[in-house]
Amino acid sequence: MITAADLYHVFTAVVPLYVAMTLAYGSVRWWRIFTPDQCSGINRFVALFAVPLLSFHFISSNDPYAMNLRFLAADTLQKLAVLALLGLWCRLRRGSLDWLITLFSLSTLPNTLVMGIPLLRGMYGAASAGTLMVQIVVLQCIIWYTLMLFLFEYRGAKMLVLEQFPDTAADIVSFRVDSDVVSLAGGGGVDLQAEAEVGEDGRMRVTVRKSTSSRSEAACSHSHSHSHSQSMPPRVSNLSGVEIYSLQSSRNPTPRGSSFNHAEFFNIVGKGDEEKGSAGAGTGGHSPQPLPQALAAKRKDLHMFVWSSSASPVSERAAGAAVHVFGGGADDVLAKGGAQAYGEYGRGGDDDFSFRNKNGGAANGDGPTLSKLGSNSTAQLHPKDDGEGRAAAMPPASVMTRLILIMVWRKLIRNPNTYSSLIGVVWSLVSYRWGIEMPAIIARSISILSDAGLGMAMFSLGLFMALQPRIIACGNSLAAYAMAVRFLVGPAVMAAASLAVGLRGVLLHIAIVQAALPQGIVPFVFAKEYNVHPNILSTAVIFGMLIALPITLVYYILLGL
């Protein structure tokens, strides 16, 4: 039976997180304390230092030789069961790969690191629930987020092949991707071009690179930023920081101005015309240097601060617009303000219950030798029939797999949390095997930053919420559907999987409540970059965080009866 003291312990653990989130929201929306540039600096610190070190702290302190294998088996079985059912639905009902990815994210990937660990510790104690949540975090960081990247890159590779080589894909024997291409989905207004070289044996060898227009535009922007390097403010962060790990990094990061201007910002958060006019006219200390008109028009929409650049200076311009909160790509918001761009994007087709692929955008002719693949491609993800009911041929599975693995590897090596997770696992294996303690100087240095991780992560989420014109971005009907999948379907499948592997008692309760946590942030970042139902994931993150506490309390009370 749940007592009042038990509920008090839960509130003691969770309410401080919401206090941090509320303070951040009010600092931007009500009190105008932080500008977008200042918000991005906070988020950059969170994503580069606080969250990776927080992950390292939890993972390195977890005993890998005492992990609850049955509990982990239940979590794994839940995810595999959902993935299998969605895959079966796609094959039998010709469902959309986009919806498979989105529904898998909604039903199986909660916010365990930031929300789950303190909440479950308050409910069931640190010795049991806290340790189990850390074990879930290990699997999420190393296995499930990597699987998500694999699915997204598979989608991008399939779109590329279906658009560019609809009739000759089976003749492709190899792909080579230029080093400055970090995603087959393009992104940030960057176009990709595929060049096919046909050998004497009739086989094609395809090279994927950025289009000439993207390269020249990026080079112009890079040259412009270099000429103003003395007066340009520091590079704005593109990091969101709440359980978010970098998607694309830069080996040689260069300064670039914020894509925000104050006029747009205060217009979005509801500031009056007076502030809007004064902010637009001034060039104060926080105002970025103006960009060329052609580039500024493409970067005029509101951004979520997510690190997204590439390994080459050529792509630095495109990186600044890599993750758009309101538009699928730069062209969607050409010469539009943030709120207007949101209005158009929010009605762009997500507010319906059609799970089929939308037709359109697929190439209809013979595969060209040189062609472009836009970042906003909407090619159908089912191969076209050849007129006899047979699906169009694809390249050999080994060729596609190698292409996808190359792109996923490029993502992972640019991800700071990949290193923190792997180093944490290695250290825990060594320390618990031979009883080696971390030197006090190193441990204390990590502790100082990791202790700020939870609070700063929630603060960063509050900043992100404050910069959105609407909490429910996908429409009421889709929001209700997403919440049902997140808080009903996910826990139900977890309960079935837990019972199937023999979990009972407190372990069963922890597994179900853990599955009812709010939506994780990382899947939203992926959805935004690859333009796969980002409005739905954004709503699941923001609105889900607001209603998660009462919902998890209901589960906690019902399971304790």
Side-chain angles (χ1 to χ4, degrees), residues 171-176 203-207 395-396 399 402:
D171 297 328
I172 298 176
V173 294
S174 68
F175 285 93
R176 190 182 73 83
R203 299 293 186 177
M204 291 194 301
R205 292 163 178 81
V206 177
T207 300
V399 175
R402 182 177 182 275

Side-chain angles (χ1 to χ4, degrees), residues 241-256:
V242 185
E243 208 188 6
I244 289 184
Y245 322 100
S246 80
L247 301 177
Q248 308 166 14
S249 69
S250 177
R251 298 175 183 171
N252 298 298
T254 55
R256 60 172 175 262

Side-chain angles (χ1 to χ4, degrees), residues 71 120 124-125 128-130 132-133 494 505-515 559:
F71 185 85
L120 273 294
Y124 299 103
S128 57
L132 293 174
M133 291 304 98
M494 175 59 83
V506 175
L507 286 179
L508 176 62
H509 299 172
I510 293 174
I512 295 175
V513 175
Q514 179 267 338
L559 292 171

